[in-house]
């Protein structure tokens, strides 16, 4: 169970793999990531040289850094304005919807 906001954020992502090209980006911070490692990427900027990929080593890191995903989508230069507007509208209801979900499902 997730809120409409989280669901819509998830719709903006596609599955990706860590590639040789990725080793040359993000300031070399991903030296320990194996080629082919799976993750998610923004579907809007996926075909650009500065595509934003999200690669986590475990579920705890995902849970602690999930907020990076909607933050990126909201500022992504290739994200259509209607997607940004919809996200902002859903974000308004997000807290209220989270309060209605069973504890632990957020």
């Amino acid at each position: 169970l997730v809120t409409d906001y989280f669901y819509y954020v998830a719709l903006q992502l596609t599955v990706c793999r860590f590639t040789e090209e990725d080793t040359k980006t993000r300031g070399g911070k991903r030296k320990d990531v194996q080629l082919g490692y799976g993750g998610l990427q923004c579907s809007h900027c996926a075909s650009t040289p500065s595509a934003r990929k999200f690669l986590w080593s475990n579920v705890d890191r995902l849970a602690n850094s999930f907020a990076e995903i909607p933050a990126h989508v909201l500022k992504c230069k290739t994200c259509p304005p209607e997607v940004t507007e919809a996200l902002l509208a859903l974000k308004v209801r997000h807290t209220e919807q989270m309060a209605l979900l069973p504890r632990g499902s957020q």
Side-chain angles (χ1 to χ4, degrees), residues 1-2 6 98-99 101-106:
L1 297 169
V2 296
F6 277 167
M98 282 193 53
L101 292 173
R103 182 164 170 75
S105 64
Q106 299 88 348

Side-chain angles (χ1 to χ4, degrees), residues 8 18 20 22 31 33 37 39 45 47 62 68 79-80 87:
Y8 197 68
F18 188 72
E20 181 70 36
D22 295 323
K31 293 176 186 169
V33 179
Y37 189 80
C45 61
S47 62
L62 165 60
E68 293 176 24
C79 183
L87 270 177

Side-chain angles (χ1 to χ4, degrees), residues 18-37:
F18 188 72
T19 65
E20 181 70 36
E21 194 64 28
D22 295 323
T23 63
K24 302 172 182 120
T25 62
R26 303 200 48 84
K29 294 180 183 176
R30 296 179 168 174
K31 293 176 186 169
D32 297 331
V33 179
Q34 289 185 328
L35 293 179
Y37 189 80

